Amino acid sequence: MTEQKRKALNGIPMLLLFIALIIADIALLIFAGRNKITPLLITCIAALPVLLILLAGFFMVNPNESKVLQLFGRYVGTVDDSGLRWANPFFGKKAVSLRVRNFESGKLKVNDSAGNPIEIATVVVWKVVDTAEAIFEVDDYESFVHIQTEAALRNLATAYPYESHNDEKLTLRSDPQEIANLLQKEVQDRLNKAGVKVIEARISHLAYAQEIAASMLKRQQAQAIVAARTQIVAGAVGMVEIALQELSKKQIIELDDERKAAMVSNLMVVLCSEENAQPVVNSGSLY
């Protein structure tokens, strides 16, 4: 079932025509009654309800809206020309909005690929692009969008880890754009038969579940401390190396291996310590 465009007559000229016909019919009815012209009288009386029934063919199409037309259960087309329109009065007319809409899922609790419980939610921007599929292929296309979006989000969340623990290439936390693209594709694949186009899909909430949030926070803090310490040590080693090279290059002082070891130890303590260095004046000899 695919959408078929159908043209409906402009409602303004048709409205003026029917008003003229009704006025003419009433005038002829009065004329036939006064002059006792029975055939004309019967014709005018029969024409009046027919004209009133034809008035039921008028309908309004708002901007960014379509009307799906059905004749005794059979789909006959979709009218998307805005304004007052007229079609067969026996057509059933169902409005379908073509406006862009937002849907924000609730916070879902799922396990990521590493088995950690997480909370995740998404925002999906979508619109109807095929009214026939939206009306006839699914029972309720809005509910279908909501349910399939949550199903796609659950499937995506279980396929990737929350954050990298074993050098994973793609994670929910570190690669938001790539995850958004994958989520949009997954949601779109599920909604193709509903005549819906997914314009954008993004994760709006992502966090560890409450029962493990404190433990994971400690883990993140430990990883941050280790990373910071690694960078400090790497910088300190470089500074010590430069200091020894400059002392040797400028021949300021000749250091044997034992003095170099003592100097390196002192510099590493000063550079890597969290507390301010406490200088000690050595008035004697190292030996």
Side-chain angles (χ1 to χ4, degrees):
M1 182 74 69
T2 57
E3 183 178 274
Q4 300 175 10
K5 298 294 184 182
R6 184 183 180 94
K7 295 293 182 182
L9 297 175
N10 192 326
I12 301 300
M14 293 299 296
L15 180 62
L16 296 176
L17 175 62
F18 282 127
I19 291 175
L21 290 175
I22 291 172
I23 293 174
D25 184 72
I26 293 174
L28 288 174
L29 182 63
I30 295 173
F31 175 78
R34 287 178 178 178
N35 294 278
K36 298 181 179 180
I37 305 175
T38 304
L40 181 60
L41 183 64
I42 295 173
T43 301
C44 291
I45 293 174
L48 189 59
V50 172
L51 291 173
L52 294 177
I53 292 173
L54 291 176
L55 287 176
F58 289 99
F59 61 96
M60 186 75 70
V61 181
N62 298 315
N64 268 334
E65 183 184 75
S66 290
K67 286 291 177 69
V68 177
L69 305 181
Q70 290 179 264
L71 181 61
F72 305 125
R74 181 174 63 87
Y75 172 64
V76 295
T78 299
V79 177
D80 55 10
D81 296 325
S82 60
L84 182 63
R85 300 290 159 184
W86 185 87
N88 188 329
F90 295 102
F91 283 168
K93 307 169 184 71
K94 184 175 180 64
V96 179
S97 175
L98 303 180
R99 298 179 179 92
V100 176
R101 288 182 254 188
N102 284 328
F103 164 65
E104 183 173 8
S105 70
K107 295 179 183 179
L108 306 179
K109 187 176 179 180
V110 298
N111 292 334
D112 67 0
S113 63
N116 297 317
I118 62 173
E119 292 180 350
I120 190 169
T122 184
V123 172
V124 175
V125 182
W126 61 281
K127 65 180 295 187
V128 174
V129 293
D130 192 306
T131 56
E133 286 186 341
I135 295 299
F136 302 115
E137 292 291 345
V138 294
D139 185 49
D140 182 344
Y141 65 90
E142 291 189 34
S143 176
F144 189 78
V145 168
H146 297 175
I147 293 173
Q148 293 302 320
T149 296
E150 292 185 353
L153 182 61
R154 287 182 181 274
N155 188 55
L156 183 75
T158 57
Y160 298 96
Y162 178 87
E163 58 185 351
S164 179
H165 300 302
N166 299 311
D167 297 327
E168 291 90 352
K169 293 183 178 180
L170 193 64
T171 64
L172 298 173
R173 181 186 178 193
S174 303
D175 305 282
Q177 187 57 53
E178 290 80 358
I179 292 296
N181 294 338
L182 291 172
L183 179 60
Q184 180 177 350
K185 182 179 184 302
E186 175 124 5
V187 176
Q188 182 64 73
D189 291 342
R190 293 169 179 265
L191 298 180
N192 279 333
K193 291 302 293 181
V196 171
K197 178 183 178 182
V198 179
I199 300 172
E200 184 181 13
R202 290 190 177 275
I203 293 177
S204 60
H205 174 79
L206 181 63
Y208 280 114
Q210 292 183 357
E211 57 266 28
I212 66 166
S215 299
M216 288 302 176
L217 179 59
K218 291 180 180 179
R219 180 176 182 171
Q220 292 173 358
Q221 290 173 341
Q223 290 175 338
I225 292 172
V226 170
R229 287 293 183 186
T230 301
Q231 187 172 359
I232 290 171
V233 170
V237 169
M239 294 173 68
V240 170
E241 182 181 3
I242 293 172
L244 293 176
Q245 288 177 354
E246 290 296 318
L247 289 172
S248 176
K249 179 180 177 181
K250 297 181 179 180
Q251 298 181 351
I252 297 174
I253 187 173
E254 291 293 335
L255 299 174
D256 56 20
D257 290 341
E258 187 174 354
R259 285 188 173 90
K260 284 182 180 179
M263 180 178 180
V264 169
S265 176
N266 293 334
L267 285 175
M268 290 297 292
V269 169
V270 171
L271 295 173
C272 296
S273 176
E274 292 184 356
E275 303 293 336
N276 294 329
Q278 300 292 329
V280 176
V281 178
N282 185 11
S283 59
S285 172
L286 186 62
Y287 300 101

